[in-house]
Amino acid sequence: MEPLLILHAVAAMCAPVLVRVMGRGAFTVLAAVPAIALVFVAGWVPYEHTRAWAPQLGLELAFRVDELSALMVTLVTGIGALVLWYCSRYFGRDAQGLGRFAGFLVAFAGAMLGLVVADDLLLLYVFWELTTVFSYLLIGYDPESRAGRVAAMQALTVTTLGGLAMLAGLVIIGQAAGTYRISRIVADPPQGGMVVAALVLVLAGALAKSAIFPFSLWLPGAMAAPTPVSAYLHAAAMVKAGIYLLARLGPAFGDVAVWRLVAVPLGLATMLMAGWRALRETDLKRLLAYGTVSQLGFLTVLFGAGTGAAALAGVAMLLAHALFKAALFLVVGIVDHATGTRDLTVLSGLRTTMPWVCAASVLAAASMAGLPPLLGFAGKEAAFESLLHDPLVLAGVVLGSVLTVAYTARFLWGAFAAKPGLPSTPVRPTPAPMFTPPALLSVLGLATAFAAARYGAAMTPYTATYPDHGPEVHLALWSGAMTPLALSAVALALGIALFLIREPVARLGASLHVLDAARLYWAFMRGVDRNATILTGLLQRGSLPGYLTLALAVMAATGCFSFLYGGAPVLDLDVTAWDRPEQPVIGAVLVAGAAALLFVRGHILLALMAGVTGYGAALLFLVHGSPDLALTQFLAETLSLVMFALVLRRLPVSPERDSARVPFGLRLGLGLVTGVVAAGAGMVALHERTAVPVGTQLAAAAERAGAANIVSALLVDIRAWDTLGESSVIIVLTLGVTSLVFLRRRTFSLEREDAAPLPDGRTHWLSATLPAGQRSVIFEIVARLTFHTMLLLSVFLLLTGHGRVGGGFAGGIVAGLAVAVRYLAGGRYELARALPVNAGVLIGVGLTLSVCCALIGWGAGGDALRMLAADVTLPLVGTLHLSTVLLFDFGIYLSVVGMVGDVLRSLGAELDRQMEGS
């Protein structure tokens, strides 16, 4: 399963390039990715595979394909492939952001595939949230569309809040069951009061994802997205995620009272309210959106009933709904593409001008209305039969079916009927890649109906896992039961009657529409924003000393409370004054530097004195026998001083007198108390240690990793995941901070301007120079002479880091400092010459290389980020020790160089440009 997920990820990353090369035709190539997944998974049922992720924490990559998963995989990959093909003609040749959209759509397909095959609760949640993020990006992919941005944020807010609640519930269930494997939980479900509370949380997440009341508001708003997004995410994929979770956990918890008490009433309410709202919509897409919400409510009732009979009807309606609703959304896209409108009060006569599109629509709509001989009819008959023992729920479902027939007729009438007083709407030809997908889905709704009995038998292994099998149900075009057939006839007759009085019904619906869910949502969000503004005004005063004072005060108060509440700690520590005579000297320098900071006023001098404490800490590392830490501290401190110098150019030489400044006595007392608390906490931690320090095991671990440097082995072997995660966080922070400086759109490269030649024909030491009066020829000479040496030193540190002092991080800082020297000597044009590659490209390539190490470990049959090594003997060269550690370290190296370049570009070159323009 991992190769298929990786294939989707690679295709998503390559999509922008493919679109740039092939145009919209790239969608046809990308459609092959989910199609390949469909073919492969079809031969894997049943399938189960587990790979250890973090064994000590019980985390694993567990995938499982059973009958229910196979159904969802078929929908996700099959309809995904058709939608991607549809996109190849839906978008114009010059559509903006098409590469980005293609990447997001393929990535969403991969995330949805991972969700439905995950057999681990935490893994399922990861893919769950990935679908949320990609749906946000797809709904709001057009940055110029305000409606799209608003709808995307609304969908993200609602589904994310539900997802967070669900995460808490999943953790409780996993802990109560003693395992996070879904198959094991279903086989032996946990019990208890905490499990009941967890089920409420899980249901909140599932209902929010599937737009069930009271979370229904986000899906109609999401119709601002392009039609292919609606056909895929909001008919066949994302909104089905919540239904899938109900279906997946139903066999374990369907007999729990809270499961039915929450799912069934909310599902019925959603089915009725959304169906009623669809009867007065004039936008074809919004009409289908409310119809989708109504049908999702119907599915929630079936899977919330907690019986095998209702689940059998549920899997039938799950397939039928995906087929007919995806087809109808794609038809709306065709109508919009051909006529330029989706307003049913304007459209007229399309039945004669688009007969084949109309035929496909009638076939899909008939399945939605539950007419024979279509799969929607077989599924609805099975649903009625499974609910005969519950008259109240059955009555609600029949009433919902009446509304379904009514809004189905409204859709067909609005899209294709010739309306009195309206001229026939002119249309443009429909390309085959746009017509074929909805036509194929409509035909499948007809063909699968004749195989309904066989489909029901294939799903029996899943429905048999329900403890309560419920009444006997037959999934077929004709089951022989007269009551469900009579109820279908009643629903059809009443639905047609309701459609015939559509105008009075629409007026009645508008008059009864008192509360609008969207207005309530935005009123709530405005209240949140208002309270957040008030709270921010109280806490965020724009004063860094104030923030630091608050943080240190909380830390000091915590330490004092622990001392007063728990009593004075009993310490039995062997205290050594010093091990080497250099230590007290360096300590005295550190104390003196810190004390001097209290009396220094100039910004530059403050930065330099703060640097003294940093360099002093590096010296302490060195005398303690940690040259790696010392080198990294030295380099990081130097780079920090350069950054300080860049920022301080825009500040006054000395800080202004501030009457609101924290008094000196308070600052001194707070500093002393904080220092005592920090030192005391360290001593208490040492005293309370009971286990053998892990540091004693690092030497053996480094030896097993083939490293002679313990620090390097710790960073790139033993704790490689930490290093990768921390690198990602630092990259995000760097990009976020530097982006605040830009007053214009970021460009790929900096402007370049060569230095003018000297009058006698001689050249400058650098390719660009600062203006006269700011130049330093000596600095230019130093920069020219040391640049390449520093680069060689950085490469040396990179290559020797696994066995000696150095590493990718240290080497990257040295290379970044070399570029910084060039910039400081020659200005922003020299920076463009010294670093000709865009900083973002370096960061992206570096992070990609580091991530590739995880894939290499997987490919070799090991764990993620398992470093591989081999000794290769070459003629005339000897034996070479090759390791993927170098690839990982090189990724860190490039990321650090890119981050330094981005900082120099923003805090340096961009500030220079702004000062020149002011």
Side-chain angles (χ1 to χ4, degrees):
M1 191 58 65
E2 294 99 323
L4 295 178
L5 297 175
I6 294 172
L7 177 62
H8 279 80
V10 172
M13 290 186 289
C14 296
V17 178
L18 286 175
V19 172
R20 192 178 303 121
V21 174
M22 303 177 59
R24 60 183 184 176
F27 282 100
T28 303
V29 177
L30 294 172
V33 175
I36 291 172
L38 174 61
V39 172
F40 273 88
V41 175
W44 286 355
V45 183
Y47 169 85
E48 189 168 354
H49 175 70
T50 303
R51 185 186 297 272
W53 179 265
Q56 293 81 359
L57 300 177
L59 300 179
E60 56 187 5
L61 298 180
F63 300 102
R64 185 170 180 266
V65 179
D66 61 358
E67 291 74 20
L68 179 63
S69 297
L71 168 62
M72 291 300 299
V73 168
T74 302
L75 299 181
V76 169
T77 57
I79 297 180
L82 292 175
V83 168
L84 282 166
W85 186 32
Y86 179 93
C87 289
S88 65
R89 290 298 180 270
Y90 175 83
F91 293 101
R93 298 181 185 277
D94 56 348
Q96 298 295 320
L98 208 55
R100 184 175 69 251
F101 176 85
F104 293 155
L105 191 58
V106 175
F108 174 85
M112 196 67 203
L113 175 62
L115 189 154
V116 299
V117 298
D119 193 33
D120 183 90
L121 292 177
L122 298 181
L123 183 62
L124 180 144
Y125 177 77
V126 170
F127 287 116
W128 183 283
E129 289 305 302
L130 284 176
T131 61
T132 298
V133 172
F134 288 126
S135 69
Y136 164 78
L137 296 172
L138 287 167
I139 296 171
Y141 100 100
D142 184 1
E144 297 179 359
S145 172
R146 183 179 182 277
R149 297 195 307 270
V150 171
M153 182 56 68
Q154 186 181 68
L156 180 70
T157 302
V158 174
T159 54
T160 300
L161 288 177
L164 291 174
M166 186 187 76
L167 175 61
L170 294 179
V171 171
I172 294 174
I173 291 175
Q175 292 300 113
T179 178
Y180 284 87
R181 291 287 294 274
I182 298 175
S183 55
R184 296 174 184 171
I185 292 174
V186 171
D188 186 17
Q191 298 177 353
M194 290 299 295
V195 173
V196 173
L199 289 179
V200 175
L201 296 174
V202 171
L203 286 171
L207 300 182
K209 196 77 163 183
S210 292
I212 303 301
F213 179 82
F215 309 107
S216 307
L217 71 157
W218 70 265
L219 196 149
M223 295 302 105
T227 298
V229 175
S230 303
Y232 190 32
L233 275 67
H234 307 140
M238 177 180 169
V239 293
K240 293 293 196 305
I243 302 299
Y244 168 75
L245 188 61
L246 293 178
R248 176 55 68 198
L249 298 181
F253 305 108
D255 56 348
V256 179
V258 71
W259 185 270
R260 300 181 182 181
L261 290 176
V262 172
V264 174
L266 292 181
L268 273 179
T270 303
M271 186 180 186
L272 297 175
M273 290 189 296
W276 175 256
R277 176 62 186 268
L279 295 179
R280 59 187 178 90
E281 287 296 329
T282 58
D283 185 313
L284 291 176
K285 200 172 177 184
R286 285 181 62 86
L287 189 156
L288 289 180
Y290 281 104
T292 299
V293 174
S294 178
Q295 292 289 308
L296 291 172
F298 184 21
L299 291 170
T300 301
V301 171
L302 295 178
F303 287 111
T307 65
L312 179 62
V315 293
M317 286 304 304
L318 191 65
L319 175 59
H321 179 263
L323 295 177
F324 65 66
K325 194 54 66 72
L328 291 175
F329 269 117
L330 294 178
V331 165
V332 170
I334 294 175
V335 172
D336 192 12
H337 188 271
T339 65
T341 182
R342 302 192 305 255
D343 191 342
L344 58 81
T345 63
V346 175
L347 295 168
S348 179
L350 297 189
R351 178 178 60 84
T352 56
T353 55
M354 304 178 70
W356 290 105
V357 175
C358 179
S361 302
V362 169
L363 203 58
S367 183
M368 181 166 67
L371 300 181
L374 295 148
L375 185 59
F377 171 77
K380 187 183 65 174
E381 291 285 292
F384 288 166
E385 192 174 2
S386 68
L387 297 174
L388 289 176
H389 66 288
D390 195 336
L392 184 61
V393 176
L394 178 62
V397 170
V398 172
L399 182 57
S401 299
V402 172
L403 298 174
T404 301
V405 172
Y407 66 68
T408 300
R410 180 178 177 83
F411 173 83
L412 291 176
W413 167 81
F416 299 102
K419 302 179 180 66
L422 289 180
S424 180
T425 306
V427 299
R428 289 179 293 177
T430 301
M434 289 188 68
F435 171 72
T436 305
L440 180 59
L441 292 172
S442 300
V443 172
L444 284 175
L446 174 64
T448 52
F450 293 97
R454 183 175 299 179
Y455 173 69
M459 298 303 296
T460 299
Y462 160 68
T463 58
T465 58
Y466 280 80
D468 183 1
H469 297 292
E472 186 177 359
V473 172
H474 303 88
L475 185 60
L477 281 176
W478 170 242
S479 64
M482 295 302 299
T483 303
L485 183 62
L487 293 176
S488 295
V490 170
L492 178 62
L494 293 179
I496 293 175
L498 199 59
F499 164 71
L500 294 177
I501 56 171
R502 56 186 173 275
E503 296 301 331
V505 168
R507 289 194 296 269
L508 177 62
S511 63
L512 295 178
H513 186 64
V514 179
L515 294 178
D516 188 280
R519 292 182 179 179
L520 292 176
Y521 168 81
W522 289 115
F524 172 76
M525 293 304 297
R526 284 193 295 271
V528 172
D529 290 341
R530 184 169 53 253
N531 292 327
T533 302
I534 295 173
L535 184 61
T536 301
L538 292 175
L539 300 179
Q540 301 289 327
R541 296 287 185 175
S543 170
L544 293 179
Y547 301 154
L548 187 59
T549 299
L550 180 61
L552 294 179
V554 171
M555 176 181 174
T558 303
C560 293
F561 174 79
S562 301
F563 178 79
L564 296 175
Y565 181 78
V570 179
L571 300 178
D572 184 16
L573 300 174
D574 295 330
V575 179
T576 302
W578 58 76
D579 295 319
R580 301 180 60 174
E582 300 95 329
Q583 292 174 334
V585 177
I586 298 173
V589 173
L590 281 171
V591 173
L597 284 170
L598 299 174
F599 306 99
V600 174
R601 298 291 298 167
H603 285 128
I604 297 294
L605 192 54
L606 278 169
L608 291 175
M609 294 304 299
V612 169
T613 60
Y615 286 124
L619 289 174
L620 281 179
F621 291 145
L622 186 62
V623 298
H624 273 287
S626 302
D628 277 277
L629 297 179
L631 175 63
T632 304
Q633 178 69 22
F634 270 117
L635 295 174
E637 197 65 42
T638 304
L639 186 61
S640 300
L641 287 176
V642 173
M643 301 306 134
F644 270 123
L646 294 176
V647 174
L648 294 178
R649 295 178 301 164
R650 300 297 301 267
L651 296 178
V653 176
S654 299
E656 299 178 358
R657 293 286 181 179
D658 187 1
S659 58
R661 190 179 183 186
V662 180
F664 175 78
L666 178 59
R667 287 185 284 125
L668 180 62
L670 183 60
L672 291 173
V673 174
T674 303
V676 171
V677 168
M683 289 188 290
V684 170
L686 289 174
H687 180 263
E688 297 297 328
R689 170 180 285 164
T690 57
V692 178
V694 70
T696 59
Q697 307 173 26
L698 292 180
E703 184 178 355
R704 288 193 300 270
N709 187 331
I710 294 179
V711 175
S712 179
L714 183 65
L715 293 177
V716 299
D717 281 299
I718 304 170
R719 304 295 296 273
W721 274 116
D722 287 351
T723 303
L724 182 60
E726 291 162 4
S727 301
S728 303
V729 171
I730 294 174
I731 288 172
V732 171
L733 290 176
T734 301
L735 295 177
V737 171
T738 55
S739 296
L740 298 176
V741 179
F742 279 80
L743 299 179
R744 56 176 179 163
R745 188 181 182 90
R746 287 185 177 221
T747 56
F748 180 80
S749 59
L750 293 166
E751 302 90 339
R752 300 185 181 185
E753 181 178 282
D754 293 335
L758 296 173
D760 56 2
R762 293 181 293 109
T763 59
H764 294 278
W765 283 93
L766 300 175
S767 58
T769 60
L770 293 170
Q774 300 181 22
R775 290 184 58 195
S776 172
V777 177
I778 296 178
F779 197 10
E780 292 178 7
I781 295 173
V782 171
R784 175 67 178 270
L785 296 178
T786 60
F787 179 71
H788 299 91
T789 303
M790 293 179 69
L791 288 182
L792 289 175
L793 176 60
S794 71
V795 174
F796 174 79
L797 292 174
L798 168 66
L799 297 177
T800 62
H802 206 50
R804 302 176 184 175
V805 176
F809 186 76
I813 293 181
V814 171
L817 287 174
V819 175
V821 170
R822 284 276 296 271
Y823 161 71
L824 293 174
R828 64 189 180 103
Y829 298 119
E830 184 65 20
L831 175 61
R833 293 289 182 180
L835 193 64
V837 182
N838 182 266
V841 174
L842 289 175
I843 293 174
V845 172
L847 192 58
T848 301
L849 287 177
S850 298
V851 172
C852 283
C853 288
L855 304 181
I856 292 174
W858 271 339
D863 298 331
L865 273 178
R866 178 186 179 186
M867 300 303 172
L868 307 179
D871 292 324
V872 180
T873 302
L874 299 177
L876 304 178
V877 177
T879 301
L880 294 179
H881 180 73
L882 302 179
S883 173
T884 54
V885 168
L886 182 60
L887 180 65
F888 184 83
D889 241 357
F890 186 54
I892 301 296
Y893 176 91
L894 290 180
S895 298
V896 172
V897 174
M899 286 188 285
V900 174
D902 201 41
V903 170
L904 292 174
R905 186 174 64 163
S906 57
L907 300 182
E910 180 64 14
L911 288 182
D912 291 342
R913 189 192 64 81
Q914 295 177 19
M915 287 190 291
E916 291 173 5
S918 61

